[in-house]
Amino acid sequence: MTLLDPVWTSLLYLAAAVFFILALRGLSSPRTARRGNLVGAFGALVAVVTVFLSARLDNIPWIIAAIAVGTAVAAPVARRVKMTQMPQLVALFNGVGGGAAALVALLELSHNADPWTRLAIVFTLLVGAVSFAGSGVTFAKLQELMTTRPVVFPGLPVVMAAVLLAAVGTAVAVVLTGSLALAVLLMVLGLAAGVLLVLPVGGADVPIVISLLNAFTGLAVAASGVVLGNVLLVVAGTLVGASGTILTRAMAAAMGRSVAGILFGAFRGGSTAGSTAVSERPVRSSSPEDVAVLLGYAQRVIIVPGYGLAVAQGQHTAAELALALEARGIEVDFAIHPVAGRMPGHMNVLLAEANVPYESLKEMGEINSEFRTADVALVVGANDVVNPAAKTSSGSPIYGMPILEVADARQVIFLKRSMRPGFAGIENELLYEPQTSLLFGDAKDSLAKVLGAVKAL
Amino acid sequence: MDGMALLTITVLAVFVGFEVVSKVSSTLHTPLMSGANAIHGIILVGAIIVAGQAADPWVLAVALLAVVLATANLVGGFVVTDRMLHMFRGRKGEGK
């Protein structure tokens, strides 16, 4: 039984598509972002209610149970996940979306004999499977279930080329024959291609790959809309595919990378090999009290927060330290690298959580010329984003990435857990410079000790 | 729906997709990616249609798996984006 005639169905889907466009636009400005997200969720609700009222559906109790299961799994995880684990959760959700699109296409194969529709089916199968497997590897890298270094083995380009050729051949065969077994094989090849695509990507570039796979899933969803003749899926999927592509390029530009370079750099070899050795050279380590004196008698302090701060949940302590210094009449700013904390905008979110005023969060372009006037640059749990190797060493994996010019400050203090290199796996020459001192320990503990010492000054 | 109409819609949607995010600041890259990620969870509609037409238990099982995965993408995506954006609140006393 259907309650809605096709005209109303189309109008409601159109309304949902408009809500999605408004959602993306809202998300592009800080003032409207939260409302934009809610508008998107409302659009999704409209669409789901519409499909129940308009299509002739059997198995409704089963479907509702499946929706309940999906919600029961995802909502609590999404609500409880630590802010630092946000990137891998986004990757995971993206992957399951791609997987869902691939399964939908697989089941539609037996209903469609038209070659164009079958072409859309094989596209969805392949891209959905690449997105699923690629996101899985991304998740594993960010969750540190596997090494964050690029994984390359000899013959990787050959294997990749073989998988892609086999995939194209299988895709053609599926379009011609409509064989389900071949379609399953195509999905498996897609999974293999997804793994091979992401394995060689170096740690620091992973966020860009998440964004790229996000666009891929969007395209898979759009193609599944073609298969099902559903305009909403076509519009929503295409929107995500297009905006995801732009976003990927914007993120890559913020890191001074090209998308092609990230994906294929490792295949060409050479550029991503990081030095893994921990150097034995001497560094100047100092005590919380020394750091407090440096900070407390400065006129201008710039705090550079990084992933280590996020992991230690030290953003509140950092905010308190900034307040304590400001109470002494010191000018304090936070310098935010575009990818500090592993994802663009991630650090802004964390510091906003700690109620650091928006005006104190300075973007890289704005703050870089000001390091020259700073007495102290306090680097908390950051490494790659201040590593001068990005400018000087052309063999380095981060070469070309814009960095925060902390070396220009009169004194540089690093709060670090150990001498272990950062996420990109390369050493930082700055640690050995004469103006640098290091305070070892968990970022939050160190900040708390420094805060106590500043208050005691 | 005929192919030409679908192609027209697709091309227009590409331009809308490019336009709406062309001027976003790096601050919002993560929430925007996460929000776009939630939107493609709308594949749930497709999964529901396929599950609703399934006659054979094997097909139904795979379709229901697709429904679970798509729901996780859709619901989880919007919730996680909302949490991220919640953190932006209270700045200058205006953001919501």
Side-chain angles (χ1 to χ4, degrees), chain A residues 41-101:
Chain A
F42 183 71
L45 185 67
V46 169
V48 171
V49 171
T50 304
V51 70
F52 273 109
L53 295 182
S54 64
R56 250 144 81 101
L57 299 177
D58 300 325
N59 312 315
I60 286 185
W62 283 104
I63 296 172
I64 290 177
I67 292 176
V69 170
T71 310
V73 172
V77 177
R79 206 165 288 139
R80 280 196 221 116
V81 65
K82 286 198 216 120
M83 292 308 283
T84 46
Q85 292 174 331
M86 209 64 100
Q88 50 265 54
L89 193 67
V90 173
L92 200 62
F93 287 149
N94 177 52
V96 296

Side-chain angles (χ1 to χ4, degrees), chain A residues 87-392:
Chain A
Q88 50 265 54
L89 193 67
V90 173
L92 200 62
F93 287 149
N94 177 52
V96 296
L103 292 179
V104 167
L106 184 69
L107 296 177
E108 277 299 298
L109 185 61
S110 59
H111 304 303
N112 291 288
D114 169 53
W116 289 108
T117 313
R118 281 189 181 164
L119 193 64
I121 289 177
V122 295
F123 179 84
T124 313
L125 273 176
L126 194 59
V127 176
V130 167
S131 181
F132 181 78
S135 301
V137 176
T138 317
F139 174 81
K141 283 195 180 203
L142 287 171
Q143 191 72 24
E144 300 191 354
L145 298 175
M146 60 176 286
T147 173
T148 55
R149 281 172 211 299
V151 177
V152 225
F153 52 86
L156 179 66
V158 181
V159 177
M160 186 66 172
V163 168
L164 287 181
L165 269 178
V168 170
T170 314
V172 171
V174 172
V175 171
L176 293 178
T177 65
S179 153
L180 188 64
L182 286 177
V184 173
L185 174 65
L186 181 61
M187 244 170 99
V188 173
L189 288 170
L191 294 176
V195 172
L196 291 174
L197 185 72
V198 181
L199 274 183
V201 173
D205 295 332
V206 165
I208 295 171
V209 172
I210 300 181
S211 178
L212 186 69
L213 293 173
N214 188 33
F216 276 15
T217 306
L219 294 179
V221 169
S224 76
V226 173
V227 175
L228 293 165
N230 185 305
V231 180
L232 176 62
L233 293 188
V234 174
V235 173
T238 310
L239 274 177
V240 176
S243 60
T245 308
I246 295 286
L247 190 56
T248 307
R249 287 185 47 199
M251 282 186 186
M255 296 178 70
R257 319 285 265 168
S258 80
V259 177
I262 291 164
L263 288 179
F264 305 118
F267 285 116
R268 287 196 215 102
S271 67
T272 46
S275 114
T276 58
V278 175
S279 159
E280 300 289 319
R281 284 182 289 168
V283 292
R284 195 145 62 103
S285 66
S286 64
S287 72
E289 289 72 24
D290 296 338
V291 174
V293 169
L294 281 177
L295 291 174
Y297 294 99
Q299 280 170 358
R300 182 147 164 65
V301 172
I302 299 178
I303 301 179
V304 180
Y307 184 70
L309 177 77
V311 175
Q313 299 283 317
Q315 62 268 36
H316 296 278
T317 320
E320 266 184 77
L321 178 63
L323 279 180
L325 292 176
E326 275 165 358
R328 296 176 61 88
I330 301 163
E331 199 185 335
V332 183
D333 283 311
F334 286 84
I336 313 289
H337 191 274
V339 293
R342 282 197 194 167
M343 266 179 121
H346 197 187
M347 195 50 69
N348 302 67
V349 173
L350 294 169
L351 290 173
E353 183 192 9
N355 295 322
V356 174
Y358 187 52
E359 296 85 347
S360 316
L361 304 181
K362 297 280 175 66
E363 287 188 19
M364 181 169 60
E366 192 183 348
I367 195 90
N368 255 351
S369 58
E370 296 182 27
F371 279 107
R372 243 170 290 135
T373 64
D375 300 295
V376 181
L378 179 65
V379 182
V380 188
N383 193 358
D384 297 333
V385 296
V386 298
N387 192 340
K391 285 195 305 186
T392 54

Side-chain angles (χ1 to χ4, degrees), chain B:
Chain B
M1 171 93 28
D2 71 291
M4 221 48 215
L6 273 183
L7 184 65
T8 309
I9 291 169
T10 308
V11 171
L12 293 179
V14 167
F15 279 93
V16 174
F18 283 168
E19 277 308 307
V20 286
V21 302
S22 58
K23 285 185 283 273
V24 60
S25 87
S26 70
T27 313
L28 280 170
H29 279 173
T30 297
L32 181 65
M33 163 165 53
S34 176
N37 172 46
I39 288 175
H40 66 51
I42 200 61
I43 182 64
L44 175 60
V45 167
I48 290 173
I49 292 175
V50 173
Q53 292 164 349
D56 150 341
W58 182 85
V59 173
L60 179 61
V62 176
L64 289 177
L65 175 62
V67 172
V68 173
L69 295 182
T71 309
N73 182 185
L74 190 70
V75 175
F78 282 119
V79 171
V80 101
T81 311
D82 188 61
R83 260 197 64 199
M84 244 183 250
L85 293 170
H86 182 68
M87 309 303 179
F88 282 81
R89 219 173 39 163
R91 154 206 313 167
K92 291 188 231 161
E94 63 167 11
K96 259 206 186 125

